[in-house]
Amino acid sequence: MKILVIGDSCKDIFRYGKVDRLAPEAPIPIIKPEKETTNPGMAGNVVANLEALGAEIDFITNKKEISKIRYVCSKYNHLLLRVDENDKCERILIDYIPQSNYDAVVISDYCKGFLHEEDIEYISTKFRNIPVFLDTKKKLGGWAYNIDFIKINWDEYLNNKEILNNNRALSSKVISTRGKHGCNYKGKNYPTIDVPVKDVSGAGDTFLSGLVIEYLKSNSIERAIEFAQECTTVVVQKSGVSII
């Protein structure tokens, strides 16, 4: 499978350390760094998961590097602090999107400035002959009509609830993930297995990747949802941003 991924990416950095006392100046924990891990994040994590699942990827993303640095207590895997560096990036050069024999297009929009609404509308119109998947933090609207499947989390769904309740064309495309409560699609809930969760960082990217791969294999969105949830169940049991 050959897939075009478009979206803003970052570097996910996890700094783990020992925490055994509070600072004398203020009631905040003192962390003594022990190890550090670095992974591609946001759309980069989608790419890493799609490649791990066997796809060939073309990737269009920002050149300016965004970093998300997380400080974590090693003993309890408790997130103490997240620092986001260079949180905005340049806008996509829309004229440079290649036309190739792709099996699907994945738009991973973290709203860092790389994609505007009209850019997403242009992309989805350009590739009308293949499935286009969207994961976005934007407020949904008419610009998303040509998208085939829209994956959002539960908070994003609630933020769009009024729009979706009055727009069947959009609501019929939405797959809303709900963590331990599974996910909803077209009024049906797809439950997930209850597992011990260590870290949900990047879980949405893994869900999206599993969804795309299985849909291209089976042409069944129901089977794709079930497989995506299996993938997510695996990664949330690991620390940090994990690849399926």
Side-chain angles (χ1 to χ4, degrees):
M1 290 169 282
K2 188 173 183 181
I3 300 170
L4 175 64
V5 177
I6 304 172
D8 25 24
S9 62
C10 74
K11 184 164 63 174
D12 274 324
I13 302 170
F14 284 77
R15 292 175 178 165
Y16 296 90
K18 183 179 180 181
V19 178
D20 55 15
R21 64 192 179 98
L22 297 179
E25 303 92 343
I28 56 172
I30 296 173
I31 183 168
K32 297 180 179 179
E34 294 175 329
K35 68 173 183 176
E36 179 175 306
T37 63
T38 302
N39 305 89
M42 302 194 305
N45 189 36
V46 176
V47 169
N49 276 276
L50 287 170
E51 289 177 336
L53 290 167
E56 178 186 345
I57 305 298
D58 282 350
F59 187 26
I60 300 175
T61 190
N62 46 289
K63 291 181 173 61
K64 180 181 178 182
E65 186 174 81
I66 297 170
S67 295
K68 295 181 181 179
I69 307 167
R70 297 171 176 90
Y71 293 84
V72 183
C73 170
S74 300
K75 184 176 181 179
Y76 298 106
N77 197 48
H78 180 69
L79 179 63
L80 304 172
L81 176 68
R82 192 178 103 176
V83 179
D84 289 3
E85 294 181 347
N86 301 323
D87 202 36
K88 292 293 181 181
C89 62
E90 72 283 1
R91 186 176 179 180
I92 187 174
L93 296 174
I94 204 74
D95 294 335
Y96 287 88
I97 296 177
Q99 184 73 48
S100 186
N101 294 320
Y102 297 112
D103 296 300
V105 174
V106 178
I107 304 171
S108 179
D109 172 36
Y110 274 80
C111 289
K112 302 298 183 183
F114 189 65
L115 290 164
H116 292 202
E117 292 176 358
E118 54 265 40
D119 300 326
I120 297 174
E121 184 175 22
Y122 173 82
I123 294 164
S124 61
T125 303
K126 182 182 177 74
F127 293 98
R128 287 296 300 276
N129 60 322
I130 58 174
V132 178
F133 296 79
L134 170 67
D135 186 355
T136 184
K137 299 189 179 301
K138 288 181 172 57
K139 205 76 174 280
L140 297 174
W143 54 271
Y145 280 153
N146 290 330
I147 302 292
D148 294 284
F149 300 104
I150 303 170
K151 178 262 165 195
I152 54 179
N153 63 35
W154 189 242
D155 287 339
E156 291 158 356
Y157 170 80
L158 294 176
N159 191 41
N160 283 281
K161 190 174 181 179
E162 184 177 350
I163 297 169
L164 296 174
N165 284 344
N166 296 298
N167 194 320
R168 183 172 293 181
L170 277 179
S171 63
S172 65
K173 303 170 185 288
V174 168
I175 301 168
S176 56
T177 56
R178 303 185 60 190
K180 66 179 181 179
H181 301 294
C183 73
N184 292 354
Y185 176 63
K186 286 188 174 181
K188 179 180 177 181
N189 178 261
Y190 293 79
T192 190
I193 300 170
D194 189 19
V195 295
V197 175
K198 283 191 174 181
D199 202 323
V200 297
S201 301
D205 302 327
T206 301
F207 181 95
L208 179 62
S209 303
L211 185 79
V212 173
I213 292 294
E214 184 58 32
Y215 182 78
L216 292 180
K217 287 182 178 180
S218 67
N219 199 34
S220 167
I221 193 61
E222 290 80 13
R223 287 180 61 178
I225 288 172
E226 291 168 356
F227 179 71
Q229 293 193 138
E230 290 177 19
C231 294
T232 306
T233 298
V234 173
V235 299
V236 298
Q237 296 181 71
K238 303 178 182 180
S239 298
V241 175
S242 299
I243 308 303
I244 185 65

